[in-house]
Amino acid sequence: MSIAGGPPTERPNAELGGTRRSRAVRAALVAAAGRGAPVEKEILGLADLVGPGDVCLDVGAEFGLYTHVLADLVGSRGTVHAFEPQQGAHRALQLGVRAAGLSWVHLHRLALGDAPGTAELSVPRRRGVPVHGRAYVTAGARDAGPNREFAGHRLESVAVETLDAVVADLVPGRVSLLKADVEGAEGALLDGAVGTLAAHRPHLLLEIEDRHTLKYGVRAAELFARLTGGLGYRAHTWAAGWRPVAGIVDTERNYLFSP
């Protein structure tokens, strides 16, 4: 793993694990990430973190940009579990995974939080079109946060489970990486993942921004301190390589936490 400030580790050739279609999709997404929008730059650093045979979790997968890249990196000897509770986004994710022939990717229409049950998902709409990337679980939210910019929204009832329960039920081996984009509900996700973080010590790739976390009454800096303090993770951001950071950076929203 090539992370500045930490010892590099050689990874196997990731392309040995995938298929022709999965390699083509990953190549297209990596090229797009290299150009900037609309694919996040952190996709460029995934090959430093996982390889053939690994198990990865993509929480808040939306249309599966990370899912597809991770699937090619871990190959058919590995497993990717992708969680997307929104009905429309989940349907699109299914179509993409099937078209790419990713039989080792398992899809779950499920939200992950601090306790099992059901919740309402607020999916904002712009000119009548759902904005899937800004949907959030309303449980625990004090207000709509930055979603106040949208004129309307619709509510979807979704099942909620803890990450610990999901891992115990679905993952026989070690989890190598957890990527999560849950629009501010990272605190609840971590509350339901205490056992997994202690036992598996996966890399965590999390979106952490005050504009989202504050609607749940949590500051991004508090989540950062929780991970780097008591949980003993080291934080990095991507800039042509994973670079260590000591705190929240105003220009970044995605952070890698490595054990």
Side-chain angles (χ1 to χ4, degrees):
M1 179 173 59
S2 302
I3 297 180
T9 302
E10 291 296 323
R11 297 295 323 192
N13 184 349
E15 292 198 344
L16 294 176
T19 67
R20 184 175 300 174
R21 278 181 289 177
S22 70
R23 285 194 293 273
V25 173
R26 176 161 73 97
L29 291 172
V30 167
R35 295 191 299 268
V39 181
E40 293 182 342
K41 62 182 180 178
E42 288 77 16
I43 275 179
L44 299 171
L46 294 178
D48 292 338
L49 309 175
V50 299
D54 284 344
V55 176
C56 301
L57 310 180
D58 185 359
V59 181
E62 199 184 359
F63 302 131
L65 300 185
Y66 279 89
T67 299
H68 281 275
V69 175
L70 291 171
D72 187 63
L73 289 170
V74 305
S76 57
R77 287 182 284 158
T79 307
V80 176
H81 290 280
F83 301 85
E84 178 47 62
Q86 298 177 73
Q87 184 176 8
H90 189 270
R91 188 180 301 116
L93 179 62
Q94 281 183 317
L95 293 173
V97 166
R98 289 173 183 169
L102 304 176
S103 59
W104 58 97
V105 173
H106 304 281
L107 306 182
H108 311 275
R109 191 177 169 216
L110 187 67
L112 297 181
D114 58 359
T118 59
E120 287 190 324
L121 194 70
S122 175
V123 183
R125 302 180 77 84
R126 180 185 285 124
R127 293 186 290 275
V129 177
V131 184
H132 296 292
R134 293 283 292 276
Y136 70 95
V137 173
T138 60
R142 300 176 174 183
D143 52 48
N147 281 17
R148 288 187 292 267
E149 71 179 273
F150 301 105
H153 69 278
R154 61 181 169 82
L155 295 176
E156 293 184 18
S157 180
V158 298
V160 182
E161 190 49 271
T162 67
L163 189 139
D164 280 346
V166 165
V167 168
D169 188 46
L170 299 175
V171 182
R174 175 181 171 272
V175 176
S176 297
L177 181 139
L178 163 64
K179 168 262 170 182
D181 182 352
V182 291
E183 297 301 292
E186 289 78 16
L189 174 69
L190 294 175
D191 287 342
V194 173
T196 299
L197 298 187
H200 295 247
R201 301 297 287 168
H203 294 291
L204 308 174
L205 183 56
L206 307 177
E207 180 187 73
I208 303 179
E209 290 185 281
D210 271 338
R211 68 181 184 132
H212 295 304
T213 62
L214 285 175
K215 68 174 174 280
Y216 294 98
V218 179
R219 291 194 173 276
E222 293 170 354
L223 287 172
F224 190 100
R226 176 179 177 181
L227 287 159
T228 57
L231 292 176
Y233 276 85
R234 301 186 307 273
H236 306 79
T237 57
W238 178 262
W242 293 112
R243 309 299 177 188
V245 291
I248 293 295
V249 182
D250 290 342
T251 57
E252 301 291 338
R253 63 180 181 179
N254 294 319
Y255 297 83
L256 169 69
F257 297 92
S258 290

